[in-house]
Amino acid sequence: MITGKTAVAGVAGNPVAHSLSPLIHNAWLAAAGIDGVYVAFQPPADGFRRFAEGLRGGAVRGINVTVPFKEAAFEAADEMTGRARAAGAVNLLLFRPDGTVAADNTDGEGLIGALAHQAGFDPESGPAVILGAGGAARGAATTLAAEGCPDIRIVNRTLSRAQAIAELVAGRAFPLDRCEGALEGAAVVINATTAGLSGQAPIDVPLHLTRDDAVAMDMVYKPLVTPFLARAQARGLRTVDGLEMLIRQAAPSFEAFFGRPPPPEVDVRGLALATLEAGA
Ligand code: ATR
């Protein structure tokens, strides 16, 4: 029930109607008995700054930020955590009562948590390949570097963008059409491209070159088993899906908005899977 004291948080994206974040956060709110609500906002594609300015002062506790606003949210913040600064993007803004805007990036925590939970993967265990060089790839690269990954290899269609990220993390850059050297002996391969999302061909790299005990992860969760993950499974690799990362970045966000961790007994993955299967 919505009351006069209901705390409001949400997610901002464009488009945002497909977001599973409202489902996840509202399930946690209901189970925890918190008088709060989590809604989706769709600012105009060029209007994030105005939207965020309007929320200063704390009418809304905070928002998660998704595509295409993660860099704009970085610009809108007055202060931020070190991990958000390293990622160059934020997925969490908090609107303090004093009018300031604080930012964080919990995507890296989601990434590391998903790799550990679904595959028992430790970032220190070997070379990591990141496919893509956008904001998602940069966040993955800076997180893996911070977690002690010994060798980071960035593969991208546009080599210059891969080089920019490789420089940040003292890694190496490879063009997508000549990426054998990147895949060779890899312990983990993470798809952070948007290839395949809007009708183009899905990403295809020589997975047979990785270590036999390698892990493949896709940040996309729709479908849950992407063509990239299906290929990895056919090769016998362990796989980690984007839904696990989504849930594991949501948990610290929930705590930042509502002051306590999400109740562990709620099967938010089951809820999200049911929604995905229903085609919503
Ligand atoms: P985000 O910030 O969400 O990561 P982005 O900045 O648009 O999104 O980055 C998308 C990534 O997917 C880029 O690495 C892009 O490659 P380019 O830098 O060469 O554009 C990659 N990508 C998108 N479509 C692709 C395709 N069809 N094949 C290969 N890579 C693709």
Side-chain angles (χ1 to χ4, degrees):
M1 197 168 68
I2 307 289
T3 73
K5 290 181 294 187
T6 300
V8 181
V11 55
N14 189 337
V16 78
H18 65 282
S19 172
L20 290 174
S21 293
L23 178 82
I24 292 168
H25 285 269
N26 286 312
W28 281 335
L29 284 167
I34 295 173
D35 186 2
V37 67
Y38 185 102
V39 294
F41 299 105
Q42 186 171 309
D46 62 352
F48 184 82
R49 180 110 209 168
R50 224 171 336 124
F51 169 76
E53 285 301 318
L55 297 182
R56 272 184 195 272
V60 165
R61 291 263 182 100
I63 53 170
N64 287 123
V65 182
T66 186
V67 180
F69 297 131
K70 289 186 181 183
E71 283 86 6
F74 182 91
E75 302 295 329
D78 300 315
E79 57 190 80
M80 68 181 69
T81 58
R83 61 188 184 177
R85 193 169 303 284
V90 309
N91 74 329
L92 174 62
L93 291 179
L94 294 175
F95 302 102
R96 300 232 179 88
D98 67 2
T100 58
V101 181
D104 194 4
N105 191 322
T106 65
D107 283 333
E109 197 174 329
L111 175 86
I112 299 300
L115 286 169
H117 178 76
Q118 286 193 328
F121 182 78
D122 172 0
E124 294 183 355
S125 65
V129 178
I130 297 167
L131 308 176
R138 176 176 164 147
T142 55
T143 299
L144 287 167
E147 295 290 322
C149 178
D151 180 0
I152 299 178
R153 307 160 178 183
I154 315 289
V155 172
N156 198 43
R157 186 175 57 181
T158 311
L159 181 61
S160 58
R161 295 186 82 195
Q163 285 165 333
I165 297 180
E167 257 172 51
L168 276 180
V169 296
R172 284 182 288 158
F174 297 80
L176 181 59
D177 56 8
R178 283 203 0 257
C179 66
E180 293 78 8
L183 275 295
E184 201 117 14
V188 64
V189 185
I190 299 169
N191 180 25
T193 72
T194 52
L197 272 192
S198 45
Q200 320 103 308
I203 199 99
D204 193 10
V205 294
L207 285 175
H208 64 276
L209 296 173
T210 69
R211 273 171 26 184
D212 286 338
D213 65 348
V215 172
M217 170 168 183
D218 204 320
M219 292 196 182
V220 169
Y221 58 81
K222 212 172 172 173
L224 190 69
V225 181
T226 61
F228 171 74
L229 290 184
R231 284 190 189 116
Q233 284 172 357
R235 142 97 170 99
L237 303 184
R238 289 169 296 158
T239 58
V240 176
D241 59 63
L243 181 58
E244 198 61 30
M245 175 168 165
L246 179 79
I247 293 168
R248 286 171 185 276
Q249 65 74 38
S253 303
F254 182 92
E255 185 162 3
F257 298 142
F258 302 110
R260 59 177 116 151
E265 70 276 10
V266 190
D267 178 17
V268 286
R269 185 175 168 91
L271 281 173
L273 282 175
T275 304
L276 284 175
E277 275 158 23

